[in-house]
Amino acid sequence: MASIPAMMMLSVILIIISYFSFSFAISKDISFIAPLIHRSSPESPFYDPNATPLDIVKASIRTSSARAIAFSNLNSNNIHINSDSPVPRLDLINEDYVIKYGIGSPPMDTYGVPDTGSSLTWLQCKGCVECYIQPIPLFDPTQSSTYNTVMCGSDECNKAAYTRLCNGTSQEKCPYGIKYVDGSYSYGDIATETFTFPQVTTSDISLDYYNHSKIIFGCGLKDNFMTTDIPGIVGLTNHRSSLVGQLGFSSFSYCLSANASFHGQMRFGSAAIISGSPTKIAPNQAGNYYFQNVEGLYVDGEKVEGIPDWVFKFVESSPGAGGLLIDTGSAVSVFPPVAFDPLIEKLKKYMQSRGIEPMLDETGTFKLCYDIKYLHTEALPAIEIWFTDKSESLILSDANAWKIMPKGLFCLAMIGIITNISILGMHQMRDLNVGIDLKLSQVSFSYNPQCPQYQ
C-alpha cells in the first residue's frame, strides 16, 4: 500500500493534470458576449444631458461624411495600414455606441468605440504627455502586473497596425501613430496586456468573465480626440492586429435595438449569432467588410435605375472604384450622388403617387423629409439592398431607414456626398442581427426588433 505522503503527492499531480486538461478543454470552444451601450443612455459614463437630439444627429452626419471620404482616399491611394507614418485613413468616429471591457491585472473597466474600420485597439494611458479629458480614470500601466512594452523588431511590433519607423535597435520601444483627417491623433507605445471580457460561455461551463493575455494594443501617450471623451477605439477589422484577428475567433455578431435605452450585444466566437441568408465579403488587405456582390438598390420591389455599375463594385487599390462597406464607426449610411440622387427621386415619386409631398428640413440635416403623421403607415415603401449571391435582400425597416426629427418631421437617415465609397452605417443596422463569418468571408443579416439584451 502506498504511503500517505505518496498518496497526497499523487492527488496533487492528478489535480494539476485535471486543471490543465480543463483549461485546454474550455479554451477550444470559448466565447464571450460584451455589452454595447448607447452613449445617450444615462447608464453610459459618457452621457451628456446637455446634448440635444439635433446636436447628436448633426455630429453623426459629420462623422459619416468624413469617414466615407477617408475610406475612398485609402482605397484610391493604396495606403497600407502597416505604414511607417501616421495613416490619415479615417476621420471622426461614430460615438453612438461603446463597448465595455476590462484591461490589466487586476482589471479596470474601460470603454472603446467598436470600429469595424480600425485595425488597432488603443486607449489613453496614464503618464501621457498630452491628453484629452475623459470622464473615467486613465489606464495606469504601472498598476498592472501583466503590462509589457513591445520592443522594435519583435513579432508583436511587426504584427501591429499603424506602427511607425523604428531606428533599428531592439532596445527601442515599438511606436505607433494614427493621425485622423479632422486633426485628431493618437501616438504612443505598442504593448501587450490582459483583456477581460464578461459573460463567457464554453461548450462545458459558463464563467463570469474571460481573461485573454498578451493582447497587442496601443498605449496612447500623446492624444487629441477632438470630438469625443471616450478612452479609445476597439479595432474589429479582419486584420491580424485587430481584436478579432488576435482572438482568433472565426465569427462575431452584433445586434442593436432602435431603442437607445436598451443595451445591445457583441458576441464573439461560438456565441456569435449567424443567421439569415449570407452574402460574400470582398477580400482586401485592410480587412474591411466590403460587400462583394451588391446588385443594386430597390424601392417597393423596383430597382433604382441610373446608378452606374462601378458604385457598388469594390476593386482594391483602384482609383475611381466603388464599394459598399459595413462600418460600425459611421452613424448613418452614405452614398455618392450618382446613387443617392436616383434613390431620392425614386422615393419621392413613390410618395407622390400616394398624394404625399416632401417637407423641408429647416435644420439642413437631411435631404428628404415628410410629415411625421405618415411614419409607420402603409404609405412608406420598402428600401432594399439586393445581392447577386443571396436569396434574400437586406430590407431596411421604417425604424432603421428613417429618423424622427424636430418640428414634426421624419427624414431618410442617409446622406449623399462626393465620394467613391458607399457606407452602410449603424442607424441602418438597428433592429438587425449582423453576423460576420470570418472563415467563410460572409456576412448575414436577420431582422430582430428585440435584440437580445445584455444582462
Side-chain angles (χ1 to χ4, degrees), residues 115-327:
D115 187 9
T116 56
S118 291
S119 294
L120 179 69
T121 296
W122 65 266
L123 76 165
Q124 290 199 115
C125 287
K126 189 173 182 178
C128 50
V129 296
E130 186 177 328
C131 321
Y132 57 88
I133 298 174
Q134 62 182 53
I136 63 174
L138 295 170
F139 169 61
D140 186 351
T142 66
Q143 299 302 306
S144 172
S145 62
T146 49
Y147 178 87
N148 285 292
T149 301
V150 167
M151 309 306 288
C152 286
S154 65
D155 291 340
E156 292 86 354
C157 185
N158 294 331
K159 183 178 181 179
Y162 314 125
T163 52
R164 306 178 69 204
L165 185 64
C166 291
N167 292 327
T169 170
S170 60
Q171 302 304 310
E172 180 188 2
K173 294 179 180 179
C174 179
Y176 79 92
I178 305 176
K179 186 176 181 180
Y180 299 91
V181 179
D182 70 329
S184 300
Y185 51 82
S186 177
Y187 297 90
D189 298 332
I190 296 294
T192 62
E193 184 56 283
T194 296
F195 279 43
T196 302
F197 303 97
Q199 199 163 326
V200 180
T201 61
T202 74
S203 57
D204 304 307
I205 193 171
S206 181
L207 306 172
D208 292 332
Y209 60 89
Y210 166 48
N211 288 337
H212 196 291
S213 61
K214 297 184 178 179
I215 292 288
I216 299 169
F217 77 106
C219 187
L221 300 175
K222 185 179 179 182
D223 311 297
N224 184 1
F225 220 179
M226 296 181 69
T227 61
T228 186
D229 53 6
I230 298 172
I233 300 297
V234 177
L236 297 173
T237 66
N238 189 20
H239 185 269
R240 62 181 184 175
S241 66
S242 75
L243 181 65
V244 170
Q246 292 187 68
L247 293 175
F249 290 143
S250 62
S251 59
F252 72 99
S253 67
Y254 53 93
C255 193
L256 304 167
S257 172
N259 189 334
S261 64
F262 292 159
H263 292 340
Q265 292 183 346
M266 295 203 84
R267 306 170 69 97
F268 296 84
S270 59
I273 299 175
I274 309 295
S275 60
S277 176
T279 185
K280 292 292 290 184
I281 296 170
N284 61 97
Q285 181 189 21
N288 291 318
Y289 304 111
Y290 287 94
F291 293 109
Q292 182 169 289
N293 298 294
V294 178
E295 195 270 333
L297 302 178
Y298 283 70
V299 172
D300 192 39
E302 294 184 0
K303 187 173 183 178
V304 179
E305 301 293 347
I307 299 177
D309 291 339
W310 64 262
V311 170
F312 298 126
K313 185 177 181 181
F314 173 74
V315 180
E316 188 169 25
S317 304
S318 176
L324 177 59
L325 171 73
I326 301 170
D327 183 25

